[in-house]
Amino acid sequence: MFDFIRRYQLDIMLALSATCATFAILLFFTKFLSRNKKRDLILMEFIATFLLFFDRMAYIYDGDLSAFGIVMHRISNLVVYLMTAAIVLGFNMYLEDLLAEEARVPKTPLRLVIVRFATSAEMLLVFLSQFTGFYYYYDEYNIYHRGPGFVLAYVVPVVCPVIQFTVIMHYRRSFSRIVYISLSSFIFVPIAVGILQIFTFGISIVNISLVFVSILLYIFAYLDLNRNVEISHQNEKVELEKEKFRMKKLFDQCANAFMSAVEGRKSYAPGHSGRVARLARKLAESMGKDPRECDDVYYAALLHDIGMMAMPDSVLKREDDLTIEEYELLKQKPIEGARILSSITEYPALGESVIASKERYDGKGYPKGLKGSDIPEISRIVAICDAYDSMMMPVGYSDALPYQYVREEIVKQTGSEFDPEISESFLKLMDEVNFDRKEDELSHIDKELLCKDYKGSVTAGIPVSVNKVRLSFKAELKGREHGLFSEPVLIVFDSYDRHIHSDPKAVEAYQYIEYGELWFDGHFVSTAARKLEVRVAEPTGLKTTEHSYIVTAARFEDHMSLIMEHGGQSLEAVIAMPDRSGSVYLALTGENCRIYDIAVEHTGEKVEEGDIRKIASEINYTGRMEADLPNIQIDNNRSAASQGVRVEDGLRIDFHSMSLPSANLVWHCPYVVLFFSNDGRVNGEGYREYALVKINGEAGGVDKYTDSSFSLKKKDGFPGWNTWKEKCKEGIECSVAFKKSGRKLQLSTENMGLKLDYKCEIRDGSDTVYVALTGDQVALTDIRIRA
């Protein structure tokens, strides 16, 4: 390596000195360095330039006996020795400025002051050496020789950097990693090379190394500068994002406050706009919209009713039906809303969406009568969320409508008031929210009841299923002290909202059915149950006292069992339900008593066939002819399914459908499920579901496996939903046709003027697709396969 340097050192010196000079010039044009750091780096680069340039000259003129050669040789060595000390001084200045700017050191450390004086003294000794030959001298041939004090000349280049490094270590936490590396390199590389230089003659490896680390210092300074610029840029971005968030939050708060003031004019609508906005954003997110689009949807929904500002109180606060003139005035609300929002240029979609907020998908809305995709998508999203919240929230003195009723209304209005594809996404969202509510049903049971009149205070219904549930409580029968009847009572019922009802309108709205009432002394009242029996049962081993009660309930298909324990005695009640469909709830009430310490828990046990005593024969609605596939009765949502049939191009499935007597919703009808499994059965090994299509017009694919779309049309022959449900109960003939090309598949079906086309492309790589029939509260018979 030394031979290589010795051979090419003049070229290396020239290249490095030129590089340093170039960097020094470039530093003049740098704007992002501080003035002092810029000055220090320029000084060091020029020192390095002169150091190597004159060191090269010293080698060139060494032994040159011409008058010019003798002068140049002496000037060159003088400059070299001076620059060796000067570069340490320049680094010292750079370090002082770094400490002042980055470490915020108010006063230069004493050690750096010592270095400053030491380097100055070193340069003075260099001048004295010109007359004494202490560091070096020349012979009669103009040849350079080391003097007796040569080693002393390297004390400053070696010892002073060590002193500087102690300062660097002391303040190392104040420097970035890049700066720390560059400072350490500047210190130790020349020291290591300086030690080698003592034993090496004929090459200037110390000077070369000093210039090399000076170049590194420049490079690392720029790297640190870039890092700082990047950090500053990121900080600016963060601050801009924070400012944007603050402005957005301010706009959001102002808009919410404004709409609260507007809604204050309608006493029954507080919080409506905010709920619609949050729901609309959630729907937009589920549809895959980006954050900006979701913001547009949110603010359009938040301000969709802003036109109420222009409406007179006589219209907004009227409790009975509007007159024709008032209704025409109310129809101006979207126009007025768009006018108010026209000045908000940051969200231009606001005005466009608000003016179309009362349009209908079938073109029968107002003010412009837009139809289908001519209505802005945001308006179509807001419309369904607005309708949902209006139905789900209490209005005036009316309670909120039950979930099932609201869902049915959404389905009924799909294709007429609402966009079918948006309805599909919204119904999925509704079902997810409702599922989460069901998961938490047991946590909403009252812990205490104070019962005076019978049914005056009743718990929410406890769901009863194949999983055993245990109800325990205590009771104070205070009425007996005054000669009054005093007992807790169990009520078995079904209702959309898990509560008992007596008002005829609520009974109809919530489809309330009371199966029976039971007392712990063995008395009972059977109402809608097919049969109810109570008898003494064997004790279960659970301990009860005069004031404690335990009830264990379970259901299997159309039979329900209740084990009622109190005071060490046990009764068994068995109830035969009208059929296997519908839900069953158990509620606790009483008369002239206080019921407390109410607790509900799952036992972890599950009932199976034969665990509940049968007291009535099963009712079955599949007693029709059987064709290519066995007849099936689906008592609850997808509780049974037909055997799978492989889908081929031109396949058609014909069958007879009859909704069960208990069916009362539009989706109590047949479903078609597309899937794959190893055995061709629903929920079989390797099951993957591609789509679920309901003949009432609901359809949806599983995004993970398919790209899908569907269309729904209500033809002129469609009789209306009430008639459609009645016809389904009477029994209808259904037909489902399939087209298949590779992994693309189309399903078509039409029933009583309701035409549904579903298309999908399978994305999981499977060429095999099966179809099966299922449904909810429906009997499917005479199933025929046509190829």
Side-chain angles (χ1 to χ4, degrees):
M1 179 180 176
F2 290 129
D3 291 338
F4 175 83
I5 296 174
R6 187 175 285 109
R7 182 181 305 171
Y8 296 105
Q9 73 170 337
L10 295 181
D11 295 330
I12 294 171
M13 288 176 176
L14 183 62
L16 289 176
S17 62
T19 302
C20 288
T22 303
F23 286 167
I25 294 169
L26 291 175
L27 280 165
F28 275 109
F29 302 100
T30 301
K31 296 182 179 180
F32 296 105
L33 286 172
S34 69
R35 182 178 178 181
N36 289 344
K37 287 170 68 175
K38 181 177 177 180
R39 177 203 62 200
D40 297 339
L41 287 172
I42 291 174
L43 177 63
M44 291 180 66
E45 295 303 324
F46 273 127
I47 291 172
T49 301
F50 291 135
L51 176 62
L52 276 194
F53 179 79
F54 283 100
D55 199 10
R56 185 173 183 271
M57 291 296 102
Y59 278 97
I60 291 174
Y61 292 105
D62 190 37
D64 188 339
L65 294 175
S66 66
F68 183 77
I70 291 171
V71 172
M72 282 301 300
H73 196 198
R74 282 156 176 74
I75 291 174
S76 297
N77 279 304
L78 173 62
V79 172
V80 167
Y81 274 82
L82 287 173
M83 293 301 103
T84 302
I87 203 164
V88 176
L89 178 59
F91 180 73
N92 203 71
M93 294 170 60
Y94 180 67
L95 186 55
E96 288 177 22
D97 290 328
L98 274 178
L99 291 173
E101 293 178 12
E102 297 190 12
R104 305 294 186 211
V105 177
K107 187 178 180 181
T108 302
L110 178 61
R111 284 166 287 179
L112 296 186
V113 174
I114 293 172
V115 170
R116 191 190 307 161
F117 282 107
T119 51
S120 300
E122 167 68 11
M123 286 189 278
L124 179 60
L125 286 174
V126 170
F127 278 109
L128 293 175
S129 178
Q130 304 304 304
F131 306 101
T132 62
F134 185 67
Y135 284 162
Y136 60 89
Y137 64 92
Y138 305 93
D139 62 17
E140 65 271 22
Y141 300 105
N142 197 28
I143 300 296
Y144 168 87
H145 295 279
R146 292 176 177 176
F150 171 78
V151 174
L152 189 62
Y154 281 89
V155 169
V156 167
V158 172
V159 175
C160 287
V162 172
I163 295 172
Q164 291 168 333
F165 184 70
T166 62
V167 177
I168 294 169
M169 287 298 295
H170 184 78
Y171 294 100
R172 66 186 181 277
R173 296 186 183 277
S174 303
F175 304 127
S176 68
R177 184 170 178 269
I178 292 174
V179 170
Y180 179 74
I181 291 173
S182 69
L183 297 178
S184 300
S185 300
F186 192 90
I187 296 294
F188 289 109
V189 171
I191 290 176
V193 175
I195 295 170
L196 290 176
Q197 181 73 77
I198 296 173
F199 306 100
T200 308
F201 187 78
I203 56 175
S204 297
I205 55 176
V206 170
N207 295 339
I208 291 174
S209 68
L210 279 171
V211 173
F212 178 72
V213 292
S214 296
I215 293 173
L216 284 182
L217 202 64
Y218 169 87
I219 293 171
F220 278 111
Y222 258 90
L223 289 175
D224 186 57
L225 176 65
N226 290 338
R227 185 187 70 88
N228 290 333
V229 169
E230 186 176 346
I231 290 172
S232 297
H233 179 63
Q234 290 297 326
N235 289 339
E236 286 178 4
K237 284 178 65 177
V238 169
E239 286 303 315
L240 285 172
E241 287 297 321
K242 287 181 178 178
E243 184 63 24
K244 184 179 178 181
F245 176 77
R246 284 193 290 267
M247 294 301 295
K248 185 176 175 182
K249 187 176 180 180
L250 178 62
F251 179 75
D252 185 62
Q253 290 174 340
C254 290
N256 271 287
F258 186 66
M259 289 310 301
S260 295
V262 172
E263 288 174 349
R265 299 181 63 202
K266 293 178 71 174
S267 58
Y268 58 84
H272 169 72
S273 297
R275 290 190 301 271
V276 173
R278 290 187 292 273
L279 182 60
R281 183 196 288 278
K282 196 169 184 179
L283 176 57
E285 289 171 348
S286 72
M287 294 169 63
K289 303 298 181 185
D290 62 41
R292 173 66 193 223
E293 291 174 313
C294 291
D295 281 346
D296 289 346
V297 170
Y298 174 82
Y299 289 115
L302 184 62
L303 298 168
H304 77 281
D305 266 345
I306 197 171
M308 285 197 299
M309 280 190 64
M311 299 294 105
D313 289 344
S314 60
V315 172
L316 295 179
K317 295 186 176 180
R318 191 179 184 100
E319 295 184 0
D320 53 357
D321 294 336
L322 297 174
T323 64
I324 295 175
E325 292 78 11
E326 288 172 332
Y327 180 68
E328 289 300 319
L329 184 60
L330 186 64
K331 287 169 68 174
Q332 297 299 308
K333 186 180 74 170
I335 298 174
E336 292 297 327
R339 180 184 61 79
I340 294 169
L341 297 174
S342 61
S343 60
I344 303 179
T345 56
E346 179 65 20
Y347 292 98
L350 287 178
E352 299 170 6
S353 59
V354 167
I355 198 170
S357 61
K358 296 300 179 182
E359 301 288 358
R360 289 170 53 100
Y361 193 75
D362 58 8
K364 297 180 180 178
Y366 61 86
K368 297 180 179 179
L370 299 178
K371 183 177 182 180
S373 58
D374 292 337
I375 305 170
E377 186 180 37
I378 293 177
S379 302
R380 286 177 270 151
I381 291 173
V382 173
I384 198 167
C385 296
D386 182 27
Y388 171 84
D389 189 75
S390 297
M391 290 185 283
M392 287 296 288
M393 292 298 118
V395 177
Y397 297 102
S398 302
D399 292 333
L401 296 174
Y403 163 83
Q404 290 86 345
Y405 180 90
V406 174
R407 190 186 190 283
E408 184 176 54
E409 282 302 304
I410 298 292
V411 173
K412 286 179 178 180
Q413 296 303 322
T414 295
S416 52
E417 185 174 352
F418 307 127
D419 182 322
E421 292 191 2
I422 293 175
S423 287
E424 174 197 345
S425 298
F426 188 78
L427 289 170
K428 282 184 182 178
L429 193 61
M430 281 187 70
D431 293 342
E432 289 172 6
V433 172
N434 189 58
F435 178 79
D436 291 341
R437 287 175 180 166
K438 285 185 176 181
E439 291 291 295
D440 199 32
E441 281 180 333
L442 294 186
S443 65
H444 292 87
I445 305 299
D446 294 322
K447 303 303 179 186
E448 182 174 341
L449 296 176
L450 188 59
C451 306
K452 186 177 180 182
D453 298 328
Y454 179 55
K455 292 185 180 180
S457 184
V458 190
T459 66
I462 302 164
V464 181
S465 66
V466 293
N467 298 303
K468 285 186 179 180
V469 65
R470 180 165 294 145
L471 166 66
S472 61
F473 60 93
K474 295 178 181 177
E476 292 181 2
L477 310 181
K478 294 184 175 182
R480 292 181 179 180
E481 300 173 1
H482 306 285
L484 300 174
F485 180 79
S486 181
E487 282 288 341
V489 186
L490 299 175
I491 302 173
V492 181
F493 69 99
D494 186 14
S495 173
Y496 286 161
D497 66 347
R498 295 173 51 217
H499 289 86
I500 68 167
H501 297 280
S502 57
D503 179 76
K505 289 184 178 179
V507 168
E508 182 180 358
Y510 292 97
Q511 294 293 302
Y512 177 74
I513 302 172
E514 191 171 290
Y515 298 120
E517 302 157 274
L518 300 103
W519 286 260
F520 283 82
D521 61 0
H523 288 85
F524 65 87
V525 174
S526 177
T527 45
R530 283 192 292 145
K531 193 172 182 180
L532 195 160
E533 289 185 0
V534 177
R535 69 179 187 181
V536 177
E538 292 292 328
T540 62
L542 297 173
K543 293 183 179 180
T544 57
T545 65
E546 182 183 354
H547 300 291
S548 63
Y549 301 77
I550 297 177
V551 181
T552 305
R555 174 194 180 185
F556 188 83
E557 295 182 346
D558 60 347
H559 276 63
M560 174 184 175
S561 168
L562 288 169
I563 303 299
M564 305 163 59
E565 299 178 84
H566 166 58
Q569 296 183 344
S570 181
L571 297 174
E572 179 197 35
V574 177
I575 304 173
M577 320 304 296
D579 53 38
R580 294 180 294 184
S581 63
S583 301
V584 178
Y585 296 101
L586 178 66
L588 175 63
T589 185
E591 187 174 0
N592 298 313
C593 63
R594 172 178 170 258
I595 302 173
Y596 60 100
D597 289 349
I598 303 171
V600 183
E601 62 176 346
H602 287 292
T603 67
E605 299 174 81
K606 189 173 183 178
V607 296
E608 297 177 351
E609 179 76 42
D611 288 344
I612 298 178
R613 181 168 54 91
K614 292 280 187 178
I615 61 173
S617 59
E618 181 181 350
I619 297 178
N620 193 285
Y621 298 92
T622 59
R624 288 174 53 90
M625 73 169 63
E626 200 164 82
D628 298 323
L629 296 179
N631 297 341
I632 56 172
Q633 179 170 314
I634 305 109
D635 296 292
N636 293 291
N637 182 38
R638 300 184 63 177
S639 59
S642 72
Q643 179 182 328
V645 177
R646 183 165 178 165
V647 177
E648 302 288 352
D649 187 39
L651 173 70
R652 195 181 84 213
I653 301 179
D654 300 327
F655 58 94
H656 182 271
S657 166
M658 184 182 75
S659 297
L660 302 183
S662 57
N664 49 51
L665 297 166
V666 294
W667 58 84
H668 291 160
C669 65
Y671 304 166
V672 180
V673 58
L674 300 174
F675 68 98
F676 170 82
S677 68
N678 295 333
D679 58 1
R681 293 184 177 278
V682 173
N683 295 320
E685 182 182 355
Y687 183 76
R688 297 192 298 273
E689 185 165 308
Y690 299 132
L692 181 69
V693 180
K694 306 178 183 181
I695 70 165
N696 68 315
E698 295 182 62
V702 180
D703 296 337
K704 183 165 62 172
Y705 300 127
T706 63
D707 291 319
S708 61
S709 65
F710 84 102
S711 63
L712 174 67
K713 293 181 180 178
K714 294 174 183 174
K715 294 187 172 181
D716 292 338
F718 180 65
W721 285 107
N722 289 335
T723 302
W724 190 87
K725 289 194 291 184
E726 289 302 320
K727 292 287 185 183
C728 286
K729 281 191 174 184
E730 293 172 7
I732 59 173
E733 292 295 325
C734 299
S735 180
V736 184
F738 299 86
K739 293 181 181 179
K740 188 173 185 291
S741 177
R743 293 173 184 157
K744 293 183 178 180
L745 187 147
Q746 180 176 345
L747 176 158
S748 301
T749 183
E750 183 176 344
N751 298 280
M752 292 181 282
L754 200 63
K755 188 176 189 320
L756 174 67
D757 288 302
Y758 175 82
K759 297 178 182 179
C760 71
E761 182 173 0
I762 309 299
R763 292 194 285 109
D764 69 348
S766 176
D767 293 317
T768 301
V769 179
Y770 293 98
V771 58
L773 298 178
T774 181
D776 190 355
Q777 298 193 33
V778 65
L780 307 179
T781 58
D782 192 18
I783 304 171
R784 291 148 283 156
I785 310 300
R786 302 287 183 262

